[in-house]
Amino acid sequence: MSRGSRPRSRLIAVAVAGGLAASLFGLRLFGNVLDLSGGDDHEVPLSAQQRNLVLQIEDLRSDDGLYTVSMGSAAKPGLYESAHGLTALKAADGEAPSISLTVESLHRAFADEMSEEPFSSAVWISQIEAATGKRLHREEDRQALLQRFSPQGFFRDPASESDSLSTRLNDTSSALAGLAQFGVELTAHQRAAIRQWLAQVGNTAPRRPVQLYHLEYIAEAIGVAPPTNVAEGARQWWRAEGRLLDASADEEDTIEAAYYILLANRLGWDLTEQRRHWEAVLSPDEPVSTDTQVSALTARAWTSLKGSAERLDPLVQRISKRRLPTGVVSSVQVRHGSLTSAYEVVRLRMVVGLPIDDPELRAALTKMKPTVLGTYDPLLRGAWLSLMDSVGGPVSARERRRIVADVTAGAPRTVDVRNVDVWNRFTDILVGLDEAVPHADVRSWEPDRPEYRYARSLLINSLHRTGRLDDFPAVRPRPAELVAEAEERLQAGTVREGAEALSAASALGWTPTHEDAERITALLEKRRDCPGASAFYRDSAKDDECGVPGTRAAYRISALLEGAMPAITRTP
């Protein structure tokens, strides 16, 4: 069976890796973002920007309850996934899902896929149009379909590995639907050729729901009666196989069940007596596949049966979580998060004053306890314990003592430019756990390049965090020098570098002036250009993605500027 009639699996497991969070220096809550009129963590009213950030953080939620680290961690958009995912949402909600892409931006976003599979891409674009009600095709998309018409009366996708009758039926049905969506009228000669081909193959096609559905659709598209064996073939399949299916149906069975229901609807059959049977087979709240084409078929068939809309909620939520800021669907169908990403998210919530309670994260962290306790990475263990403390996860006194001992033992005893970032992570975790940081011999270095100056800021902040600023091994830089360094990094480097430099300046006595705040805020706002994620910041101007590390750093800077002026005044 061809790709179009059978789902094409694109189960991409994205494991987000990376270092642990950079140091968390300031936890002050800034009045322009946080409404301080409430009480505890759950009662403080949230500002519009905070509510926006809560929703955008949730977009990072992975299937395992953890988080991915950036808006782009779900990988690039998928044309196949978008076509079927948006079709599923339209079928489930009855309303057209919105997307912000234009004709030009859609073709630019999917240029690689369109070049590789022009026929299928044109079909998928037509399905996105049908789901959204938005014109998105070009003349080249029409031609991609028309050029694949055979004089023998069928359409053929050259990218398909098979040239079976089933494949030709699927390609022809898909092409006719696409051309109808694009407003293309077939010539009388083309209709005659299709009619002749349909008459030849109508009685030889497999009598299974998928092929029977395509036969009926093609016949209606060209304005002729379907082959006589379509209705009888569907009845025979029901008696021989369909009635025997149950909730244990696999992906293949689910596909055929959905096509049978859709065919019955096209034939005008009343499936009232079979409804409970088919609801048990489809089971949209316990799907057999995460493939968006299976989801679309399930949603369409379920709606045809007039099944309970609530049972489609898991399917809708699964697709909605994979939608990117532009409204299209990610090419990733299974999203895996990471412990380090979850650590970043919780620290972001802390710095912005968002509620920390997270039952999904707590359950995920609890589930991974055996793995964490079995690892020899003290930083990973420490991050896990810190997260469990934050979200209220169960940790025994013995487990806590063991992890704290491992983190304490793993902390460097000699610190220089080569490992100050590692020491910074250890101090961040130990201070967060309210544990003592072991003494370290600190070596000096010449801050004669950007990365060495960044390392100097990390050192100052770590020493300040542990109450050992007097241990700084060289002449302390002037706060004004660090502020200038921060501004330079906000222009040419990363927001994180800027945040560390300003935190170091604050540790050495800097108090921002109104002029400081205006200059720095203007630089920050240039990084706040994330489509569909207006509360996020781009860490580097060169980054393709907007993630949690850069966003958390931006809000740390805003906290440092508190008092000089409202650091962020634009409400998304």
Side-chain angles (χ1 to χ4, degrees):
M1 199 174 293
S2 73
R3 173 182 57 244
S5 56
R6 283 292 316 281
R8 176 177 56 176
S9 296
R10 291 183 178 179
L11 306 181
I12 306 172
V14 177
V16 181
L20 289 172
S23 65
L24 180 66
F25 172 69
L27 288 180
R28 291 188 293 157
L29 304 178
F30 32 101
N32 61 291
V33 173
L34 180 62
D35 183 342
L36 297 176
S37 61
D40 62 24
D41 181 56
H42 299 277
E43 297 177 355
V44 176
L46 300 181
S47 70
Q49 184 168 333
Q50 284 179 304
R51 290 193 298 271
N52 210 18
L53 186 56
V54 168
L55 295 175
Q56 290 167 19
I57 287 175
E58 190 59 30
D59 287 341
L60 300 175
R61 177 86 64 178
S62 58
D63 296 327
D64 51 16
L66 299 173
Y67 291 91
T68 56
V69 76
S70 71
M71 288 296 176
S73 296
K76 66 179 184 178
L79 189 52
Y80 167 90
E81 291 77 13
S82 297
H84 296 296
L86 295 174
T87 298
L89 295 180
K90 172 69 178 298
D93 296 338
E95 298 182 358
S98 62
I99 61 173
S100 61
L101 290 179
T102 62
V103 175
E104 291 72 22
S105 60
L106 179 138
H107 284 75
R108 186 165 55 250
F110 298 115
D112 291 343
E113 286 187 75
M114 295 176 68
S115 175
E116 182 180 348
E117 300 179 278
F119 180 93
S120 293
S121 295
V123 169
W124 297 330
I125 290 173
S126 73
Q127 292 171 344
I128 294 175
E129 282 196 357
T132 63
K134 189 172 184 178
R135 186 185 187 281
L136 295 165
H137 71 275
R138 290 174 171 171
E139 178 59 28
E140 63 197 63
D141 302 315
R142 297 183 180 194
Q143 293 303 318
L145 298 178
L146 288 171
Q147 289 171 3
R148 297 306 169 186
F149 180 71
S150 166
Q152 296 174 273
F154 57 84
F155 288 82
R156 171 80 172 88
D157 179 3
S160 297
E161 296 179 359
S162 170
D163 191 24
S164 66
L165 177 55
S166 294
T167 300
R168 292 181 179 184
L169 286 169
N170 170 74
D171 289 348
T172 302
S173 175
S174 299
L176 291 174
L179 291 171
Q181 177 62 39
F182 294 159
V184 176
E185 291 282 347
L186 295 178
T187 66
H189 177 74
Q190 289 170 327
R191 288 179 179 276
I194 296 172
R195 185 165 55 249
Q196 183 177 358
W197 173 71
L198 194 62
Q200 293 172 352
V201 303
N203 294 321
T204 59
R207 294 193 172 193
R208 307 199 65 80
V210 177
Q211 289 78 15
L212 294 173
Y213 176 91
H214 290 316
L215 283 171
E216 197 282 335
Y217 184 90
I218 293 168
E220 181 178 303
I222 61 172
V224 300
T228 56
N229 72 332
V230 169
E232 182 55 32
R235 292 189 181 96
Q236 289 178 0
W237 180 84
W238 158 254
R239 291 191 295 266
E241 298 183 43
R243 65 185 182 85
L244 302 178
L245 297 177
D246 56 26
S248 65
D250 60 17
E251 182 178 280
E252 181 83 25
D253 295 331
T254 301
I255 293 166
E256 295 211 308
Y259 270 110
Y260 171 83
I261 295 166
L262 293 172
L263 175 59
N265 184 62
R266 294 184 65 83
L267 294 172
W269 292 357
D270 183 358
L271 295 184
T272 302
E273 294 184 0
Q274 299 178 17
R275 176 177 168 181
R276 293 187 66 181
H277 170 80
W278 291 122
E279 286 182 345
V281 173
L282 293 178
S283 301
D285 43 358
E286 297 180 3
V288 297
S289 173
T290 59
D291 190 288
T292 52
Q293 187 175 354
V294 179
S295 297
L297 287 169
T298 300
R300 290 172 59 204
W302 188 263
T303 303
S304 177
L305 288 172
K306 296 181 172 57
S308 167
E310 291 184 356
R311 291 191 63 186
L312 286 176
D313 285 348
L315 180 152
V316 170
Q317 292 170 8
R318 186 172 65 252
I319 295 173
S320 297
K321 287 171 68 173
R322 286 158 180 76
R323 295 186 72 187
L324 302 178
T326 55
V328 295
V329 181
S330 166
S331 61
V332 172
Q333 297 195 33
V334 177
R335 295 177 66 185
H336 292 288
S338 72
L339 190 62
T340 54
S341 299
Y343 187 88
E344 284 280 4
V345 165
V346 170
R347 287 299 188 265
L348 171 59
R349 285 173 172 162
M350 291 174 64
V351 83
V352 184
L354 301 180
I356 302 298
D357 187 46
D358 189 331
E360 281 191 69
L361 178 58
R362 181 165 58 247
L365 293 170
T366 302
K367 185 177 180 180
M368 66 190 305
K369 179 189 291 188
T371 302
V372 171
L373 295 180
T375 184
Y376 294 100
D377 186 339
L379 280 174
L380 201 64
R381 289 183 176 185
W384 177 82
L385 180 58
S386 177
L387 286 170
M388 291 292 274
D389 282 357
S390 297
V391 300
V395 181
S396 69
R398 181 175 178 275
E399 290 166 342
R400 184 182 186 85
R401 286 194 299 271
R402 174 184 169 188
I403 293 174
V404 169
D406 288 342
V407 177
T408 302
R413 296 310 195 265
T414 300
V415 178
D416 57 27
V417 71
R418 294 168 298 179
N419 70 346
V420 66
D421 59 331
V422 176
W423 188 60
N424 177 67
R425 298 169 193 166
F426 274 102
T427 62
D428 183 26
I429 290 173
L430 287 170
V431 170
L433 294 173
D434 199 24
E435 299 289 343
V437 178
H439 179 77
D441 178 26
V442 182
R443 309 284 175 83
S444 63
W445 60 86
E446 188 65 31
D448 54 2
R449 60 184 72 173
E451 58 267 34
Y452 286 4
R453 289 189 286 275
Y454 175 62
R456 178 182 63 181
S457 294
L458 288 177
L459 177 61
I460 292 171
N461 293 330
S462 295
L463 290 171
H464 183 260
R465 184 187 300 118
T466 58
R468 301 174 185 174
L469 198 52
D470 289 341
D471 290 345
F472 187 74
V475 177
R476 296 181 184 179
R478 294 179 297 106
E481 177 186 344
L482 292 169
V483 173
E485 176 186 323
E487 293 183 42
E488 186 275 330
R489 290 289 82 197
L490 288 174
Q491 294 180 55
T494 67
V495 178
R496 283 182 290 175
E497 290 172 323
E500 294 298 340
L502 290 177
S503 294
S506 179
L508 297 180
W510 172 64
T511 300
T513 65
H514 179 81
E515 291 73 19
D516 290 335
E518 280 192 329
R519 291 194 318 274
I520 295 168
T521 298
L523 293 172
L524 264 186
E525 284 298 290
K526 293 180 180 179
R527 299 294 179 85
R528 196 178 179 204
D529 62 344
C530 307
S534 57
F536 270 65
Y537 290 78
R538 201 178 300 275
D539 190 30
S540 167
K542 299 177 182 178
D543 287 348
D544 294 328
E545 304 171 355
C546 295
V548 177
T551 298
R552 181 163 70 88
Y555 285 114
R556 285 176 57 200
I557 292 174
S558 295
L560 291 169
L561 299 178
E562 179 190 10
M565 67 174 292
I568 300 174
T569 57
R570 176 163 59 91
T571 301

